[in-house]
Amino acid sequence: MTEMLLLHHIQGLTPGVVDLADRFRAAGHTVHTPDLFEGRTFASIDEGAAYVGSVGFAEMRARGVAAADGLGDGFVVAGISLGVMAAQQVAQNTPGAAGALLFEAFADLSNFGTWPDGLPVQVHGMAEDPFFGAEGDVDAAREFVEGRSAAELFVYPGDVHLFVDSSLPSYDADATALVVERSLAMLERLP
């Protein structure tokens, strides 16, 4: 089974993030869920953004990247929204990474270098999400997957952000079930 690092979103390591990790654990995978906010969770995206602003976005991403230290070769890095930035940096720059699962965000590759040839990746997000859809993540992801056989983009109908977190009002159970099913299928294909 696969060892996975799952980096939480801007509202922190919520019970819904742990629930998502538990779905992968139930399938036999080892999932690490570091708390990059040191015990803090936030009731809204704005409150989380204020905290990240006070700490610094670069520092927050560095915490996520550091969470991959010590993982053996063959791990998969995953992130939800804010966590995608560090997850993508790790995937693009860590020779031991075996794949990436990017939930509800995608950054232009030039932020972190180039994508390693053949590294499997899935990007998941909602079409009308005010961040993923409206801020251009989905467009960048479409361009990225074009011509990459190991890259997949899954766009779900809807207009909410953080839909994979079962502890938030934005949770979409049906879309999350598909995210988990498709993610597990990618994990099964890894060597």
Side-chain angles (χ1 to χ4, degrees):
M1 297 275 86
T2 303
E3 185 173 20
M4 180 190 298
L5 174 65
L6 175 61
L7 302 172
H8 64 73
H9 54 69
I10 202 157
Q11 289 182 241
L13 184 59
T14 62
V17 172
V18 174
D19 177 60
L20 182 64
D22 286 344
R23 293 176 189 221
F24 291 104
R25 291 178 181 122
H29 303 288
T30 299
V31 185
H32 306 279
T33 54
D35 186 349
L36 307 180
F37 287 3
E38 301 170 329
R40 295 171 187 83
T41 57
F42 299 95
S44 71
I45 290 172
D46 288 341
E47 289 176 22
Y51 172 70
V52 171
S54 71
V55 172
F57 186 78
E59 168 61 24
M60 205 51 64
R61 190 174 71 243
R63 290 180 187 180
V65 170
D69 292 346
L71 295 179
D73 285 351
F75 72 92
V76 169
V77 62
I80 306 167
S81 189
L82 172 71
V84 165
M85 300 306 109
Q88 203 171 321
Q89 183 173 342
V90 169
Q92 289 184 234
N93 295 285
T94 307
L101 295 167
L102 309 177
F103 305 131
E104 306 194 57
F106 184 80
D108 185 282
L109 292 186
S110 64
N111 289 313
F112 311 117
T114 59
W115 193 262
D117 287 339
L119 184 70
V121 58
Q122 288 184 348
V123 181
H124 299 262
M126 284 197 165
E128 304 302 321
D129 173 336
F131 299 99
F132 182 78
E135 291 186 353
D137 291 25
V138 68
D139 297 327
R142 278 191 183 106
E143 184 178 322
F144 166 72
V145 301
E146 188 71 31
R148 286 186 170 89
S149 61
E152 299 174 285
L153 170 63
F154 297 102
V155 180
Y156 304 85
D159 61 359
V160 295
H161 193 58
L162 306 181
F163 71 91
V164 298
D165 186 323
S166 62
S167 65
L168 299 179
S170 55
Y171 178 61
D172 185 314
D174 293 336
T176 299
L178 276 174
V179 168
V180 171
E181 177 184 318
R182 290 166 169 166
S183 298
L184 287 172
M186 186 191 96
L187 295 177
E188 289 299 317
R189 293 191 300 267
L190 295 177

